[in-house]
Amino acid sequence: MDNLRLIFWELTKTCNLACKHCRAEAVEGNEPGRLSTREARQFIDSLTDFVESPILIFSGGEPLCREDIFDLLAFAKKKGLRTALASNGTLISEKMARRIKEAGVSRVSISLDGASASTHDSFRQVKGSFELALQGCKNLKKEGLSLQINTTLTRYNLRELPDILNLAKDLRVDAFHLFMLVPVGCGLEIANSAMVSPKEYEKALNRLYSCSKEAPFHLKATCAPQYYRLLKNDPQRKVSGMEALTKGCLAGSSVCFVSSTGEVFPCGYLPLKAGNIREKPIKEIWEGSELFKTLRDPDLLKGKCRDCRSKYVCGGCRARAFAQKGDYLLEDPSCPW
């Protein structure tokens, strides 16, 4: 049985921004059908059923828009769970940063989609969001919290990648994760204009990998399983720790996604439902889902991925295959191999 290491929990779809690439298609106000506080606490409690409890990442939307966020974080802490927070950073004042620290959050990730206000604000569609996010980062560092920057790579910010990495260095981050755009949610509307070509994609991964050898923080590519082909095929690099245990696409094998209404998916970008926590406990879904079992077997892959010698360390992005080819087992269309 594959161990569940990370759960990305869409605590709410509510958000104060309107990002062009948003997977969640964020809404204003409380969305119908959202898990109640009682149901949310029951879900958190159920995670202790695992032999080794997964890390619970409070995401959204903007999780800080949910009124009971700190009650739920406190409950998770009481249950002995490790928690992380994925935010756009605009609401993290000094007071908010202090509350996040007191809630026992292990790490906070802030999304920056450009090295300048013009690029970031255009993508997030709210003027001033860049400066607010930067201030949020500084407030978190002031409290001594572990900080991660997430950047979604598109044609809009491709040339700014070196500057974004320098900005991450200036902010003294602990980690930088580069996300490759998956055409779901609002991202469908900009896929043709925003997605980088397979050649540009590969070039960006190589640049990131080169930077990872000298950067003062941990670098990782997300929704970019080909990055692990580069990492594990480099004879000069000794792979150890979590890098040695992981592979490219982790959807359904090490991670899963729980929506604001309790639906369980392999990841936030692959809209195929494995179950609902309102109907079955998460442990039962994780262990019994036929969808998850299929995703855990690289020998079931089709197309170019089936014959690729790197399929056991990469596996291709199953979400991009589904979004662009209609079959989650087909080859990743962003891979140039």
Side-chain angles (χ1 to χ4, degrees), residues 57 85-89 107-111 146-150:
I57 301 173
L85 184 70
S87 171
N88 61 45
R107 173 173 288 181
V108 182
S109 65
I110 302 295
S111 298
S146 179
L147 175 64
Q148 174 180 313
I149 295 299
N150 292 342

Side-chain angles (χ1 to χ4, degrees), residues 3-11 35 39-58 72-73 75-84 254-258 262 264 277 280-287:
N3 290 330
L4 177 57
R5 299 208 306 260
L6 296 172
I7 296 180
F8 293 87
W9 186 16
E10 178 191 62
L11 205 61
L35 295 174
E39 289 174 313
R41 287 166 68 98
Q42 287 175 341
F43 168 58
I44 292 170
D45 190 42
S46 73
L47 299 183
T48 61
D49 292 340
F50 289 90
V51 174
E52 185 176 345
S53 299
I55 298 172
L56 183 58
I57 301 173
F58 288 70
L72 297 177
L73 283 169
F75 187 71
K77 181 180 179 181
K78 180 181 177 182
K79 290 295 178 178
L81 299 178
R82 288 181 61 192
T83 58
S254 293
V255 307
C256 72
F257 177 90
V258 178
V264 181
I277 61 170
K280 289 183 180 179
I282 184 65
K283 188 173 186 289
E284 188 175 333
I285 295 171
W286 179 254
E287 295 178 352

Side-chain angles (χ1 to χ4, degrees), residues 214-225:
E214 300 178 358
F217 45 82
H218 181 254
L219 276 81
K220 178 184 174 184
T222 300
C223 299

Side-chain angles (χ1 to χ4, degrees), residues 102-122:
E102 291 169 354
V105 173
S106 299
R107 173 173 288 181
V108 182
S109 65
I110 302 295
S111 298
L112 290 178
D113 289 310
S116 64
S118 58
T119 304
H120 179 89
D121 290 0
S122 174

Side-chain angles (χ1 to χ4, degrees), residues 12 38 47 56 87 97 172 193 218 223 233 238 266 280 298 307:
T12 177
R38 180 181 60 81
L47 299 183
L56 183 58
S87 171
R172 298 178 292 114
S193 62
H218 181 254
C223 299
N233 288 343
K238 184 179 180 180
K280 289 183 180 179
D307 303 318

Side-chain angles (χ1 to χ4, degrees), residues 165 203-215 219 227 230 234 237:
L165 287 168
K203 186 177 180 181
L205 291 185
N206 275 279
R207 175 181 290 172
L208 187 73
Y209 182 63
S210 295
C211 291
S212 73
K213 299 176 182 180
E214 300 178 358
L219 276 81
Y227 184 75
L230 300 176
D234 183 351
R237 181 156 181 171

Side-chain angles (χ1 to χ4, degrees), residues 224-229 247-249 310-317 335:
Q226 292 77 16
Y227 184 75
Y228 287 86
R229 160 167 48 83
K247 64 174 185 174
C249 184
S310 294
K311 69 179 179 181
Y312 297 108
V313 297
C314 169
C317 177
C335 183

